[in-house]
Amino acid sequence: MSAVKNVIKDNYNMMLLKDYLRVAIKDAGFSHAEISKTPMGTRVALHVTRPGIVIGRKGSGIRELTDKLATDFKLKNPQISVVEIAKPELSPSVMCNRMASHLERGTAFRRATMWTLKQIMDNGAMGVQITISGKLRGDRSAFEKHSAGILPRAGHHAEVIVDEDIAHVKTAMGLIGIRIRIAINEKFVPEFELKTQKPKKAKQIKDKDTGKMRDETEVERKARTESEQIAIEEEKMKELETLEEEEAKLL
């Protein structure tokens, strides 16, 4: 087999692996996986919002996942490490998955979009753009773009500052695609700096699952899995007014 075919085969297998992880550890808030081959085996770094769910009780989750990667995906001696995401709301992958879950539960697409936009900006993003396309209202496909803050569109700044991801979700109307682009404030270039008030530091608490210190937030304090967090967000989302509701009040 030629070198080109080997590269194509490896990339295809990595795509299948990431698709599997996105579903298998969905409740852990899977963002992305970093896979690298070494002489000793294959290193797999899983970036998630809740490491305790992946690790499992006494490491049972890690062992099951290791066996799965070795047997089904033919990874040689997989060595899995779990990395906790400090700010899930600034991860495009996590927010795409959460927004897709809201749409699966029947939330109106515009309400889910505005809620996701608000969550990202409230957690210190420099800018965000959400594009949603597909069967939004009827038989014909359509798309909408919603943005806030400062978001470089092209050039070196866009490559350095902006992270993005895409997710797809099947609804009763049809297939809907979600694309989220987030400009990370920590990576800012001086000319793009936003002069805003610094957010108050959250209280540091010890995570019961991992034993590490993390920021205490209302959502994280109540929700132990991504499913629970999505359910909590749906209750709060009902208080969010969409453009249609604001227009109806003016009439």
Side-chain angles (χ1 to χ4, degrees):
M1 186 178 292
S2 65
V4 175
K5 289 185 178 180
N6 281 331
V7 172
I8 294 174
K9 183 179 178 180
D10 289 343
N11 290 339
Y12 179 71
N13 290 335
M14 292 303 103
M15 182 190 70
L16 294 179
L17 174 59
K18 290 179 180 179
D19 288 342
Y20 166 76
L21 293 173
R22 189 184 290 267
V23 176
I25 54 177
K26 182 179 180 180
D27 264 349
F30 174 72
S31 173
H32 64 280
E34 295 178 355
I35 303 170
S36 58
K37 293 183 179 180
T38 66
M40 300 298 295
T42 307
R43 292 181 180 177
V44 182
L46 304 178
H47 294 255
V48 298
T49 59
R50 292 172 174 81
I53 297 177
V54 180
I55 297 171
R57 190 172 184 179
K58 296 182 179 180
S60 59
I62 284 288
R63 288 193 293 271
E64 291 178 4
L65 193 57
T66 301
D67 295 339
K68 185 76 174 178
L69 298 186
T71 55
D72 293 1
F73 296 95
K74 308 301 180 183
L75 296 184
K76 295 181 180 179
N77 188 23
Q79 302 170 2
I80 300 177
S81 61
V82 184
V83 182
E84 183 178 7
I85 302 173
K87 289 186 177 181
E89 289 78 10
L90 298 183
S91 170
S93 301
V94 174
M95 298 311 292
C96 275
N97 293 335
R98 289 182 182 178
M99 186 171 169
S101 297
H102 287 308
L103 296 177
E104 283 180 337
R105 289 169 174 254
T107 304
F109 75 91
R110 192 165 289 164
R111 185 182 295 274
T113 302
M114 299 309 294
W115 172 262
T116 304
L117 194 78
K118 181 177 181 297
Q119 289 293 302
I120 294 172
M121 292 303 297
D122 287 349
N123 281 273
M126 190 172 70
V128 58
Q129 182 187 73
I130 300 177
T131 305
I132 181 169
S133 60
K135 300 295 183 65
L136 302 180
R137 290 186 171 180
D139 294 335
R140 292 188 176 184
S141 296
F143 78 95
E144 288 190 7
K145 285 186 179 181
H146 300 269
S147 59
I150 296 177
L151 185 80
R153 304 298 177 88
H156 174 70
H157 299 312
E159 294 178 0
V160 174
I161 299 173
V162 180
D163 293 335
E164 68 174 270
D165 197 20
I166 297 173
H168 300 89
V169 56
K170 290 183 179 179
T171 64
M173 298 293 294
L175 188 65
I176 293 178
I178 303 166
R179 181 189 184 194
I180 297 180
R181 306 180 73 223
I182 301 176
I184 309 300
N185 207 18
E186 285 75 10
K187 300 179 181 179
F188 75 89
V189 182
E191 55 263 34
F192 285 106
E193 182 178 2
L194 290 176
K195 295 182 179 180
T196 57
Q197 293 182 354
K198 294 183 178 180
K200 295 181 180 179
K201 291 185 177 180
K203 181 182 177 182
Q204 293 285 317
I205 61 172
K206 190 174 183 180
D207 196 313
K208 294 181 180 179
D209 297 327
T210 62
K212 296 181 179 179
M213 300 300 292
R214 62 175 176 82
D215 292 340
E216 181 184 31
T217 63
E218 182 182 355
V219 174
E220 289 182 349
R221 187 165 58 247
K222 293 181 180 179
R224 297 185 63 82
T225 65
E226 283 293 304
S227 299
E228 291 180 7
Q229 180 160 346
I230 290 168
I232 293 172
E233 287 183 355
E234 283 188 348
E235 292 298 323
K236 294 183 178 181
M237 205 180 297
K238 294 177 182 178
E239 302 174 1
L240 186 68
E241 292 187 352
T242 60
L243 294 176
E244 290 89 345
E245 293 172 347
E246 293 179 357
E247 290 175 357
K249 290 181 179 180
L250 297 176
L251 296 177

